[in-house]
Amino acid sequence: MNVRHRGGWSVAALVAVVVAVALLGACAPSAPKGAKPGKAGGGGATSDMSVAAGKVYVAPGDLDEYYMFSSGGHSGQVYVYGLPSMRHISTIPVYSPYPATGYGFDDDSKAMLGYLTWGDVHHPSLSETGGDYDGRWLFVNDMNGRVARVDLRDFKTKQILGPVPNVSGNHGSAFVTPNTEYSMMASRFSIPLPKGTTTGTDKYATDYKGVLTAIKIDPKDGAMSIGFQIVTPPFNWDLGDAGKAMSEGWMFWTCYNAERATGKLEVTSTQRDRDYIAAVDWKAAAKAAAEGQGDMIGGIKVLDPKKVPGLVWLMPCGKSPHGVDVSPDGKWIIGSGKLQGVTTAFNFEKVQTAIRNKDYEGDEDGIPVLKYESIKDAEVPVGLGPLHTQFGPNGMAYTSLFVDSAIASWKLGTWELVDKVPMSYSIGHLAAAEGDTVNPDGKYLVGLNKLSHGRHLSVGPSQPESSQLVDISDEKMKLLSDTFTEPEPHYAQIIKADKIHTIEVYPKEDNHHPLAIWDVKDAGIARQGGKAVVKMIAVRTSFTPTEFTVNQGETVTVAVTNIEQTTDELHGFAILDYNINIVIDPGETKTVTFKAEKKGVFPFYCTNFCSALHQEMQGYMIVK
Ligand code: K7E
Ligand code: CUA
């Protein structure tokens, strides 16, 4: 079905189709009801199950070939899987406390979380060098206007930046530029600026603003700092991708609600035939900000394209686009209108020519709108509800189809459809091995589905998401396995395992914590600056000191150093009744500070099983 931009479907027809399919989806495909345990149900594309099983089998003791970093949505976490086994290896807590690793309980991680104890992670973004993953850091967005950096040497969250001024709903993030100069953000919701202004929504079209934000990244240590912002009309910015190779220096973001509507957006924001993809010359914007252009609003340098032209152009894109994805060579920008049956391939060279020739069809608050016909190469009839596109070698592209509940594969340049594989059910994002880099690997593709519809043992009304592994080594895609995932994977990235170089212990000589001690002689309690400071050592299988006494009402800091230098020898430190549970890795020092409000004798103990005498690893805090 080739939906043309003009004379295409009416809004009513589209809404009818979407609603009808959604209704069907709600009752139709609960395929495996009555399926016998151990039997594959649900009509996957697997024709030869033993071949599929062989492809995903990783023998005990063997290692997977890839890591997959999957966003944990509103769990605020990142989940790590091995591919092709799809085994869940680890959980990285980012925006939510996680008692399993003591995250959010010790002083540093608690301070990092601040007043927010949840986040909504949609888009992990691995650091890149020359447009390829370099295995150094993972950046992830949070809808609460924040970006976090995870260090891939120890898989720990090291920095949370934000909430960033003026940003409301940081969805179009944390996409890095090809040499990790910036992590880019775009706000999903528009608000009157600066934050705190209370203009009513009757002035939405004129007084509410969207913002695009560049977060600067230090090339040495990955430290993030506020860069600059570009103010835009009140569109709802959605997804982004950085230009690469020939389009390096550009950033692309989709939006919905070009109508600038309020109220029930499902109706009010779907009136027009097209919304936009913003094409941003971020290098020019960085230069303008560095040269002192723009105004400080809410503590950040904000560039207004009306006053500083030559930074932003708008590319019309069909019907409420969602994903935007740049091809490995940087030539094509693939924009998927989720209310249509095609995905559109825009040609970067044509975009540049149109900009040079001022081939415009109008403007939005001073931002020029390019002519659709001048910049598009093709409308690829991939199927209904296209959302996101990933890439393989040899010009292969893979687009997720939410409404069709399938993945379509097709070819860049010739635009021919190659294959389709059904997804169970309702796919959102998809992730191919290194499939958003300049050099995709092919081999594996994971469909990150929204619904599992009982393809698993029943766990009651709250069902897991399903992530399905697909073999893409041949033109014919083959479904290999189902994995059930915690809510809620949006995007994921898959990186070759040998690109990541982890440490096994924190070397003693690198521990510069002021309260670190390595000899039991130095352990004990002292009063410093009006508070009690307990320096403690944890090592198999005891704490030193085994008890300490403080006064009721006193502020207490316990600093625990795990002096082990052996892999996997973690110790926990929990105090009952005081809501304290921290975990200290080998060579690490962690502190926990609290007010000793409750009088009495409170046992503390090691929460992380460490040896045959783990149970004996205990002591007492006496509060007099
Ligand atoms: Cu498509 Cu937030 Cu990237 Cu969900 S987003 S699927
Ligand atoms: Cu230390 Cu258990």
Side-chain angles (χ1 to χ4, degrees):
M1 181 175 321
N2 193 4
V3 179
R4 305 303 304 261
H5 60 285
R6 279 185 224 287
W9 297 0
S10 71
V11 170
L14 269 166
V15 168
V17 166
V18 171
V19 168
V21 176
L23 286 174
L24 270 175
C27 51
S30 308
K33 287 272 154 59
K36 301 225 172 52
K39 290 253 172 76
T46 310
S47 55
D48 186 339
M49 260 178 264
S50 63
V51 172
K55 290 206 169 185
V56 302
Y57 184 69
V58 176
D62 283 356
L63 304 182
D64 277 296
E65 191 182 349
Y66 290 92
Y67 287 96
M68 177 166 83
F69 294 93
S70 187
S71 62
H74 48 288
S75 76
Q77 298 169 333
V78 169
Y79 300 104
V80 185
Y81 299 86
L83 254 65
S85 73
M86 291 297 282
R87 294 179 294 195
H88 172 235
I89 301 171
S90 180
T91 294
I92 305 173
V94 183
Y95 295 111
S96 309
Y98 190 55
T101 60
Y103 187 79
F105 290 82
D106 69 275
D107 292 339
D108 289 342
S109 58
K110 205 171 171 178
M112 206 158 58
L113 289 175
Y115 75 100
L116 291 159
T117 53
W118 74 288
D120 192 355
V121 178
H122 286 231
H123 308 110
S125 188
L126 287 158
S127 57
E128 295 181 7
T129 300
D132 226 335
Y133 301 151
D134 59 21
R136 300 213 285 165
W137 307 297
L138 179 74
F139 298 88
V140 298
N141 76 311
D142 165 31
M143 283 292 286
N144 294 287
R146 297 181 292 175
V147 188
R149 181 183 85 256
V150 172
D151 195 319
L152 294 179
R153 279 171 307 180
D154 59 2
F155 282 48
K156 298 229 174 98
T157 304
K158 292 296 162 64
Q159 187 189 4
I160 295 176
L161 182 81
V164 173
N166 307 329
V167 171
S168 194
N170 177 33
H171 187 262
S173 162
F175 312 105
V176 299
T177 52
N179 288 298
T180 321
E181 299 94 335
Y182 290 97
S183 168
M184 298 295 196
M185 308 169 79
S187 55
R188 177 170 157 202
F189 309 113
S190 293
I191 52 169
L193 296 182
K195 242 183 189 171
T197 311
T198 55
T199 313
T201 54
D202 54 321
K203 298 249 172 59
Y204 184 83
T206 51
D207 288 21
Y208 282 52
K209 299 291 170 197
V211 289
L212 308 172
T213 308
I215 299 297
K216 194 144 188 41
I217 297 168
D218 187 304
K220 284 193 304 294
D221 58 10
M224 300 178 289
S225 57
I226 300 274
F228 58 88
Q229 227 159 34
I230 298 171
V231 71
T232 74
F235 307 146
N236 291 65
W237 296 109
D238 205 8
L239 265 295
D241 196 14
K244 50 176 93 101
M246 79 163 70
S247 53
E248 183 174 353
W250 289 73
M251 184 72 206
F252 304 94
W253 274 291
T254 53
C255 75
Y256 56 95
N257 196 18
E259 291 83 353
R260 308 186 189 204
T262 56
K264 298 201 168 161
L265 292 198
E266 64 171 336
V267 179
T268 57
S269 80
T270 51
Q271 303 299 312
R272 285 211 206 168
D273 254 359
R274 298 221 204 88
D275 292 284
Y276 299 114
I277 295 172
V280 179
D281 183 343
W282 65 259
K283 287 195 172 165
K287 191 157 166 271
E291 284 168 354
Q293 303 206 55
D295 305 299
M296 292 300 286
I297 303 177
I300 183 168
K301 173 63 69 70
V302 181
L303 299 162
D304 183 343
K306 210 188 290 177
K307 298 186 209 156
V308 190
L311 307 181
V312 189
W313 290 265
L314 295 171
M315 304 158 50
C317 185
K319 285 276 162 212
S320 304
H322 186 53
V324 58
D325 299 281
V326 179
S327 63
D329 58 5
K331 180 169 177 185
W332 286 292
I333 300 119
I334 312 301
S336 288
K338 58 185 184 269
L339 295 185
Q340 57 179 8
V342 300
T343 192
T344 308
F346 298 94
N347 184 321
F348 180 71
E349 288 160 328
K350 289 184 179 175
V351 170
Q352 295 303 301
T353 306
I355 289 172
R356 258 197 317 275
N357 297 341
K358 297 200 174 3
D359 190 4
Y360 303 152
E361 62 177 38
D363 76 290
E364 294 270 7
D365 297 357
I367 303 175
V369 177
L370 301 169
K371 279 206 195 95
Y372 180 80
E373 290 297 344
S374 306
I375 57 175
K376 115 182 152 185
D377 261 359
E379 290 176 341
V380 188
V382 287
L384 277 180
L387 293 185
H388 301 284
T389 298
Q390 290 272 286
F391 303 95
N394 309 318
M396 288 302 297
Y398 304 87
T399 300
S400 60
L401 307 168
F402 178 80
V403 176
D404 274 353
S405 196
I407 295 170
S409 64
W410 49 281
K411 285 210 167 117
L412 290 165
T414 66
W415 320 118
E416 69 191 283
L417 265 177
V418 177
D419 194 22
K420 235 178 221 195
V421 63
M423 284 286 105
S424 308
Y425 302 93
S426 302
I427 183 173
H429 272 273
L430 73 179
E434 309 218 346
D436 62 2
T437 70
V438 293
N439 195 13
D441 280 12
K443 287 182 138 175
Y444 302 113
L445 177 64
V446 175
L448 301 150
N449 306 318
K450 299 300 178 191
L451 301 174
S452 53
H453 271 314
R455 286 169 71 96
H456 47 74
L457 292 174
S458 176
V459 288
S462 179
Q463 299 199 357
E465 266 67 16
S466 92
S467 295
Q468 293 183 297
L469 182 70
V470 178
D471 181 352
I472 54 166
S473 48
D474 290 328
E475 286 209 336
K476 183 97 200 120
M477 294 184 280
K478 285 182 228 74
L479 178 64
L480 295 176
S481 70
D482 280 14
T483 295
F484 302 101
T485 44
E486 299 256 322
E488 149 159 336
H490 291 267
Y491 192 32
Q493 285 180 321
I494 301 169
I495 177 175
K496 202 95 205 282
D498 62 15
K499 285 190 175 173
I500 291 183
H501 306 285
T502 53
I503 55 167
E504 302 264 301
V505 298
Y506 294 100
K508 180 181 171 184
E509 52 280 10
D510 291 354
N511 182 333
H512 304 297
H513 198 288
L515 296 176
I517 51 169
W518 300 91
D519 192 322
V520 290
K521 284 202 317 286
D522 302 322
I525 186 166
R527 260 67 190 184
Q528 286 175 10
K531 63 176 193 176
V533 176
V534 181
K535 288 188 199 169
M536 187 177 278
I537 279 181
V539 67
R540 277 164 290 169
T541 317
S542 61
F543 293 108
T544 312
T546 54
E547 61 175 88
F548 60 90
T549 302
V550 296
N551 301 313
Q552 189 178 17
E554 204 172 11
T555 299
V556 183
T557 294
V558 182
V560 188
T561 302
N562 176 351
I563 64 171
E564 309 265 4
Q565 291 283 279
T566 311
T567 305
D568 215 8
E569 279 301 339
L570 285 62
H571 296 288
F573 173 80
I575 308 181
L576 294 177
D577 300 322
Y578 266 87
N579 195 35
I580 287 167
N581 167 44
I582 65 175
V583 176
I584 314 99
D585 292 356
E588 200 177 33
T589 301
K590 273 191 185 157
T591 63
V592 59
T593 300
F594 57 97
K595 210 161 177 203
E597 265 159 349
K598 280 175 274 198
K599 210 168 146 183
V601 174
F602 302 92
F604 58 80
Y605 74 103
C606 175
T607 43
N608 209 299
F609 200 101
C610 49
S611 78
L613 295 174
H614 155 79
Q615 206 74 349
E616 281 74 4
M617 196 165 170
Q618 64 177 63
Y620 289 103
M621 171 175 77
I622 299 165
V623 183
K624 282 214 276 227

